[in-house]
Coordinates of all heavy atoms in Angstrom, one line a residue:
S238 N -16.5 -0.4 23.4 CA -16.0 -0.3 24.7 C -17.0 -0.7 25.8 O -16.6 -1.3 26.8 CB -15.5 1.2 24.9 OG -15.0 1.3 26.2
F267 N -5.3 -6.5 35.4 CA -6.8 -6.4 35.2 C -7.2 -5.7 33.9 O -8.3 -5.8 33.5 CB -7.4 -5.8 36.5 CG -7.0 -4.4 36.9 CD1 -7.6 -3.3 36.4 CD2 -6.0 -4.3 37.9 CE1 -7.2 -2.0 36.8 CE2 -5.7 -3.0 38.3 CZ -6.2 -1.9 37.8
I268 N -6.2 -5.1 33.3 CA -6.6 -4.5 31.9 C -6.8 -5.6 30.9 O -7.5 -5.4 29.9 CB -5.5 -3.5 31.4 CG1 -6.0 -2.6 30.4 CG2 -4.3 -4.3 30.9 CD1 -5.1 -1.4 30.1
G269 N -6.3 -6.8 31.2 CA -6.5 -8.0 30.3 C -7.5 -9.0 30.9 O -7.4 -10.2 30.6
H275 N -12.1 -8.8 36.8 CA -11.6 -7.4 36.5 C -12.1 -6.4 37.5 O -11.3 -5.6 38.1 CB -12.0 -6.9 35.1 CG -11.9 -5.5 34.9 ND1 -12.9 -4.6 35.2 CD2 -10.9 -4.7 34.5 CE1 -12.5 -3.3 34.9 NE2 -11.3 -3.4 34.5
K279 N -9.9 -4.2 40.1 CA -9.8 -2.8 40.0 C -10.3 -2.0 41.2 O -9.8 -1.0 41.6 CB -10.7 -2.4 38.7 CG -10.5 -0.9 38.3 CD -11.2 -0.6 37.0 CE -10.8 0.7 36.4 NZ -11.5 0.9 35.1
F286 N -7.8 6.5 43.9 CA -7.6 7.3 42.6 C -8.7 8.2 42.3 O -8.8 8.8 41.2 CB -7.4 6.3 41.4 CG -6.0 5.8 41.3 CD1 -5.6 4.6 42.0 CD2 -5.0 6.5 40.6 CE1 -4.3 4.2 41.9 CE2 -3.7 6.0 40.5 CZ -3.3 4.9 41.2
I330 N 4.8 8.1 39.9 CA 4.2 6.7 40.1 C 5.1 5.9 41.0 O 4.6 5.1 41.8 CB 4.0 6.0 38.7 CG1 3.1 4.8 38.8 CG2 5.3 5.6 38.0 CD1 1.7 5.1 39.2
L419 N 1.4 -3.2 35.5 CA 0.3 -2.4 34.8 C 0.3 -1.0 35.4 O 0.3 0.0 34.6 CB -1.0 -3.1 35.1 CG -2.3 -2.2 34.7 CD1 -2.3 -2.0 33.2 CD2 -3.6 -3.0 35.1
L420 N 0.4 -0.8 36.7 CA 0.3 0.5 37.3 C 1.6 1.3 36.9 O 1.4 2.5 36.6 CB 0.2 0.4 38.8 CG -1.1 -0.2 39.3 CD1 -1.1 -0.6 40.7 CD2 -2.3 0.7 39.0
A423 N 1.4 2.1 33.1 CA 0.4 3.1 32.7 C 0.8 4.5 33.3 O 0.6 5.5 32.6 CB -1.0 2.7 33.3
G424 N 1.3 4.5 34.5 CA 1.7 5.8 35.1 C 2.9 6.4 34.4 O 3.0 7.7 34.4
S427 N 2.1 7.2 29.7 CA 1.0 8.0 29.1 C 1.1 9.5 29.4 O 1.0 10.4 28.5 CB -0.3 7.5 29.5 OG -0.2 7.2 30.9
T428 N 1.4 9.8 30.7 CA 1.4 11.2 31.1 C 2.6 11.9 30.4 O 2.5 13.0 29.9 CB 1.5 11.3 32.6 OG1 0.7 10.3 33.2 CG2 1.1 12.7 33.1
T431 N 1.7 12.7 26.8 CA 0.7 13.8 26.6 C 1.4 15.2 26.8 O 1.2 16.2 26.1 CB -0.5 13.6 27.4 OG1 -1.0 12.3 27.3 CG2 -1.6 14.6 27.1
L464 N -4.8 15.9 25.4 CA -5.3 14.5 25.5 C -6.0 14.1 24.2 O -5.9 13.0 23.7 CB -6.1 14.3 26.7 CG -5.4 14.3 28.1 CD1 -6.4 14.6 29.2 CD2 -4.7 13.0 28.3
P468 N -3.6 11.4 21.9 CA -3.9 10.3 22.9 C -2.6 9.4 23.1 O -2.0 9.0 22.1 CB -5.1 9.6 22.3 CG -5.1 9.9 20.9 CD -4.5 11.2 20.7
A469 N -2.3 9.2 24.3 CA -1.0 8.5 24.6 C -1.1 7.0 24.0 O 0.0 6.5 23.7 CB -0.8 8.5 26.1
F470 N -2.2 6.4 24.0 CA -2.4 5.1 23.5 C -3.2 5.2 22.1 O -4.3 5.7 22.1 CB -3.1 4.1 24.4 CG -2.3 3.9 25.7 CD1 -2.7 4.5 26.9 CD2 -1.1 3.2 25.7 CE1 -2.0 4.4 28.0 CE2 -0.4 3.0 26.9 CZ -0.9 3.7 28.0
F473 N -6.6 0.5 21.7 CA -6.6 -0.7 22.6 C -7.5 -1.7 21.8 O -8.2 -1.4 20.9 CB -7.2 -0.5 24.0 CG -6.1 -0.2 25.0 CD1 -5.8 1.1 25.4 CD2 -5.4 -1.2 25.5 CE1 -4.8 1.4 26.3 CE2 -4.4 -1.0 26.4 CZ -4.1 0.3 26.8
R475 N -9.9 -5.4 21.5 CA -10.8 -6.4 22.1 C -10.8 -7.6 21.2 O -10.4 -7.5 20.0 CB -12.2 -5.9 22.3 CG -12.3 -4.6 23.1 CD -12.0 -4.8 24.6 NE -12.3 -3.7 25.4 CZ -11.4 -2.8 25.8 NH1 -10.1 -3.0 25.5 NH2 -11.7 -1.8 26.6
M496 N -9.8 -0.6 18.6 CA -10.4 0.8 18.8 C -9.3 1.8 18.7 O -8.4 1.9 19.5 CB -11.0 0.9 20.2 CG -12.1 -0.2 20.5 SD -12.7 -0.1 22.2 CE -11.3 -0.7 23.1
Y498 N -8.2 5.2 19.1 CA -8.5 6.5 19.8 C -7.8 7.6 19.0 O -8.4 8.7 19.1 CB -8.0 6.4 21.2 CG -8.6 5.3 22.1 CD1 -7.7 4.5 22.8 CD2 -9.9 5.1 22.2 CE1 -8.3 3.5 23.6 CE2 -10.5 4.1 22.9 CZ -9.7 3.3 23.6 OH -10.2 2.3 24.4
Q523 N -11.7 10.5 23.9 CA -11.6 9.1 24.3 C -10.1 8.7 24.6 O -9.8 7.5 24.6 CB -12.2 8.2 23.2 CG -13.6 8.5 23.0 CD -14.3 7.6 21.9 OE1 -13.6 7.1 21.0 NE2 -15.6 7.4 22.0
A524 N -9.3 9.7 24.9 CA -7.9 9.3 25.3 C -7.8 8.4 26.4 O -6.9 7.6 26.5 CB -7.1 10.6 25.6
F525 N -8.8 8.4 27.4 CA -8.7 7.6 28.5 C -9.6 6.3 28.3 O -9.9 5.6 29.3 CB -9.3 8.3 29.8 CG -8.3 9.4 30.3 CD1 -8.8 10.7 30.4 CD2 -7.0 9.1 30.6 CE1 -8.0 11.7 30.9 CE2 -6.2 10.1 31.1 CZ -6.7 11.4 31.3
G526 N -10.1 6.1 27.1 CA -11.0 5.0 26.9 C -12.4 5.6 26.6 O -12.5 6.8 26.5
R530 N -15.8 -0.7 30.9 CA -15.3 -1.2 32.2 C -13.8 -0.8 32.4 O -13.3 -0.7 33.5 CB -15.4 -2.7 32.2 CG -16.8 -3.2 32.5 CD -17.1 -2.8 34.0 NE -17.9 -3.9 34.6 CZ -19.2 -4.1 34.5 NH1 -19.9 -3.4 33.6 NH2 -19.8 -5.1 35.1
H531 N -13.1 -0.7 31.3 CA -11.6 -0.5 31.4 C -11.2 0.9 31.4 O -10.1 1.2 31.2 CB -10.9 -1.3 30.3 CG -11.0 -2.8 30.5 ND1 -10.1 -3.5 31.3 CD2 -11.9 -3.7 30.1 CE1 -10.5 -4.8 31.3 NE2 -11.6 -4.9 30.6
F532 N -12.2 1.8 31.5 CA -11.9 3.2 31.5 C -10.7 3.5 32.5 O -10.7 2.9 33.6 CB -13.1 4.1 31.9 CG -13.0 5.5 31.7 CD1 -13.0 6.0 30.4 CD2 -12.7 6.4 32.7 CE1 -12.9 7.4 30.1 CE2 -12.6 7.8 32.5 CZ -12.7 8.2 31.2
C533 N -9.8 4.4 32.0 CA -8.5 4.5 32.7 C -8.7 4.8 34.3 O -9.6 5.6 34.6 CB -7.8 5.8 32.1 SG -6.3 6.2 33.0
L534 N -8.0 4.1 35.0 CA -8.0 4.3 36.5 C -7.3 5.6 36.9 O -7.7 6.2 37.9 CB -7.3 3.1 37.1 CG -7.0 3.1 38.7 CD1 -8.3 2.8 39.4 CD2 -5.9 2.2 39.1
G535 N -6.4 6.0 36.1 CA -5.5 7.1 36.5 C -5.9 8.5 36.0 O -5.0 9.4 36.1
T536 N -7.1 8.7 35.6 CA -7.5 10.0 35.0 C -7.2 11.2 35.9 O -6.6 12.2 35.5 CB -9.0 10.0 34.5 OG1 -9.7 9.7 35.7 CG2 -9.3 9.1 33.4
L538 N -5.1 11.4 38.4 CA -3.7 11.6 38.6 C -3.1 12.2 37.4 O -2.3 13.1 37.4 CB -3.0 10.2 39.0 CG -1.6 10.3 39.1 CD1 -1.1 11.2 40.2 CD2 -1.0 8.8 39.4
A539 N -3.4 11.7 36.2 CA -2.9 12.1 34.9 C -3.2 13.6 34.8 O -2.3 14.4 34.4 CB -3.4 11.3 33.8
E542 N -1.1 15.8 37.2 CA 0.3 15.8 36.8 C 0.4 16.8 35.6 O 1.3 17.6 35.6 CB 0.8 14.4 36.4 CG 1.3 13.6 37.5 CD 1.8 12.3 37.0 OE1 3.0 12.3 36.6 OE2 1.1 11.3 37.0
L543 N -0.5 16.6 34.6 CA -0.3 17.4 33.4 C -0.5 18.9 33.7 O 0.2 19.7 33.2 CB -1.3 16.9 32.3 CG -0.9 15.5 31.7 CD1 -2.1 15.0 30.9 CD2 0.3 15.7 30.8
Ligands
HEM823 C1 -2.3 10.9 30.0 C2 -2.3 9.9 30.7 C3 -3.1 8.6 30.5 C4 -3.8 8.2 29.4 C5 -4.0 8.9 28.1 C6 -4.3 6.9 29.8 C7 -5.1 6.1 28.9 C8 -5.7 4.9 29.3 C9 -6.5 4.1 28.4 C10 -6.8 4.5 26.9 C11 -6.8 3.0 29.0 C12 -7.5 1.8 28.5 C13 -9.0 2.0 28.2 C14 -9.5 0.9 27.3 O1 -9.3 1.0 26.1 O2 -10.1 0.0 27.7 C15 -6.3 3.1 30.4 C16 -6.4 2.1 31.3 C17 -5.7 2.2 32.5 N1 -5.0 3.2 33.0 FE1 -4.6 5.0 32.1 N2 -4.0 6.6 31.0 C18 -3.2 7.6 31.5 C19 -2.6 7.7 32.8 C20 -2.7 6.8 33.7 C21 -2.1 6.9 35.0 C22 -1.3 8.1 35.6 C23 -2.4 5.7 35.7 C24 -1.9 5.4 37.1 C25 -1.7 4.4 37.6 C26 -3.2 4.9 34.8 C27 -3.7 3.6 35.1 C28 -4.5 2.9 34.2 C29 -4.9 1.6 34.6 C30 -4.6 0.8 35.8 C31 -5.7 1.1 33.5 C32 -6.5 -0.2 33.3 C33 -7.9 0.0 33.7 C34 -8.8 -1.2 33.5 O3 -8.4 -2.1 32.8 O4 -9.9 -1.2 34.1 N3 -3.4 5.5 33.6 N4 -5.6 4.3 30.5

Side-chain angles (χ1 to χ4, degrees):
S238 179
F267 59 87
I268 201 167
H275 163 270
K279 191 175 190 176
F286 278 90
I330 196 65
L419 170 62
L420 294 167
S427 42
T428 320
T431 310
L464 287 159
F470 298 105
F473 268 101
R475 304 289 189 260
M496 299 176 289
Y498 302 129
Q523 296 183 339
F525 290 126
R530 282 291 218 284
H531 291 274
F532 193 72
C533 176
L534 174 77
T536 52
L538 176 58
E542 275 186 83
L543 288 167

